[in-house]
Amino acid sequence: MKRFFMTMLMLSMAALTLTAQNTSKYESYIEVTGKAEKEVVPDEIYLSITIDQEKSKAKESVVAQERKMIAALKRIGIDVENNLTVSDMSSDLQTYILRKRTVQTTKTYQLKLNNADQVSKVFETLAQLDIADTQVIKSTCSDMEAVKEQLRVEAMQNARKMADTLAEAIDQKAGSAFLITDNNYMGGSVNYNGLMMTRAAKFDMVTEESADQSSGIEFKKLKFSYSVNVRFELLPRAE
């Protein structure tokens, strides 16, 4: 272990020395931070749905409620085959193995949806089935990597523009970039918008103003940000 730390220390010192050598050959330079941000509407919204026999007014079994739920979700266009899963497969398997000795009275599912309109329809449908234990657990976007790549490019471009502007202010110009530090900060990968929505909460959110819209709920946009530190050689302006 001691040898490992010594090796890492030597590598770190070598990297610092190399950086110093690379920057020392530039007599003057300008260092700027380029930033880029973007807000994206989430297109992957995850719900947690729990069927509870004891909370059912008719005291219907989990199996009976599950069949009704799946049929109802299909009727409103939800792809249950691909987007509806059992949240805790291990407990579900245990219940199956011990079925002769125990009776399953609850079951929790995870449902992936694509927009607020689908979420609204699902809550209304589940409310009609007397399944009230439903909540939004997270929202995110499917093309996150593409957004990151776009912001990386924009951050570098903004750094270049800022360097050019600052250099021109002192009658000089920014040359080539010779050191780039990728801060690699990316927010917004998962956004929880505070909507612990039960059946009652869902209807509270539908106001008279939004009653004529396709959905009575909205999700906060996901905010992504990216920044880079860049050093440009500072050159005299050509006459």
Side-chain angles (χ1 to χ4, degrees), residues 12 33 47 65 80 96 130 138 158-159 161 169 201 220 225 236:
S12 299
T33 300
L47 305 186
Q65 291 186 72
V80 294
Y96 175 79
D130 194 30
K138 68 176 179 178
N158 291 336
K161 292 177 182 177
K220 289 183 180 179
S225 59

Side-chain angles (χ1 to χ4, degrees), residues 133-148:
D133 194 357
T134 306
Q135 61 185 358
V136 177
I137 53 177
K138 68 176 179 178
S139 60
T140 184
C141 69
S142 57
D143 59 345
M144 193 182 306
E145 291 304 317
V147 173
K148 290 180 181 180

Side-chain angles (χ1 to χ4, degrees), residues 47-56 65 69 87 105-111 122-123 126-137 196-201:
L47 305 186
S48 174
I49 304 170
T50 299
I51 291 178
D52 191 331
Q53 180 176 318
E54 297 301 319
K55 292 182 180 180
S56 171
Q65 291 186 72
M69 179 183 71
S87 292
T105 59
T106 63
K107 194 171 184 179
T108 302
Y109 310 80
Q110 180 173 283
L111 179 63
V122 167
F123 270 92
L126 296 179
Q128 293 170 2
L129 296 177
D130 194 30
I131 301 175
D133 194 357
T134 306
Q135 61 185 358
V136 177
I137 53 177
M196 296 294 291
M197 298 194 297
T198 62
R199 175 178 57 181

Side-chain angles (χ1 to χ4, degrees), residues 8-24 179 231:
M8 293 301 296
L9 179 60
M10 293 176 64
L11 289 174
S12 299
M13 293 177 64
L16 290 173
T17 301
L18 181 60
T19 301
Q21 290 175 346
N22 288 337
T23 58
S24 62
L179 182 64
R231 290 183 182 181

Side-chain angles (χ1 to χ4, degrees), residues 49-207:
I49 304 170
T50 299
I51 291 178
D52 191 331
Q53 180 176 318
E54 297 301 319
K55 292 182 180 180
S56 171
K57 293 179 181 178
K59 301 299 180 182
E60 283 188 300
S61 68
V62 169
V63 174
Q65 291 186 72
E66 180 182 59
R67 289 173 180 169
K68 289 183 179 180
M69 179 183 71
I70 292 175
L73 291 176
K74 286 183 177 180
R75 284 196 296 271
I76 61 174
I78 304 301
D79 184 4
V80 294
E81 283 80 9
N82 294 315
N83 295 336
L84 181 67
T85 58
V86 178
S87 292
D88 191 348
M89 292 298 293
S90 60
S91 63
D92 193 54
L93 179 61
Q94 184 179 18
T95 301
Y96 175 79
I97 294 173
L98 301 176
R99 183 172 294 173
K100 292 183 180 180
R101 289 182 292 169
T102 61
V103 177
Q104 186 177 17
T105 59
T106 63
K107 194 171 184 179
T108 302
Y109 310 80
Q110 180 173 283
L111 179 63
K112 184 176 78 170
L113 302 173
N114 301 116
N115 52 58
D117 186 45
Q118 284 186 336
V119 174
S120 180
K121 289 180 179 179
V122 167
F123 270 92
E124 290 177 359
T125 299
L126 296 179
Q128 293 170 2
L129 296 177
D130 194 30
I131 301 175
D133 194 357
T134 306
Q135 61 185 358
V136 177
I137 53 177
K138 68 176 179 178
S139 60
T140 184
C141 69
S142 57
D143 59 345
M144 193 182 306
E145 291 304 317
V147 173
K148 290 180 181 180
E149 290 303 315
Q150 176 188 349
L151 292 180
R152 285 188 178 98
V153 173
E154 291 182 5
M156 281 298 302
Q157 292 173 340
N158 291 336
R160 174 83 252 185
K161 292 177 182 177
M162 187 180 302
D164 289 339
T165 299
L166 293 176
E168 289 175 5
I170 56 174
D171 199 29
Q172 291 183 279
K173 68 176 183 178
S176 301
F178 63 89
L179 182 64
I180 300 173
T181 302
D182 186 345
N183 295 325
N184 198 27
Y185 169 72
M186 184 64 60
S189 60
V190 174
N191 178 66
Y192 171 62
N193 63 356
L195 299 182
M196 296 294 291
M197 298 194 297
T198 62
R199 175 178 57 181
K202 192 269 167 208
F203 287 113
D204 287 342
M205 295 168 61
V206 181
T207 63

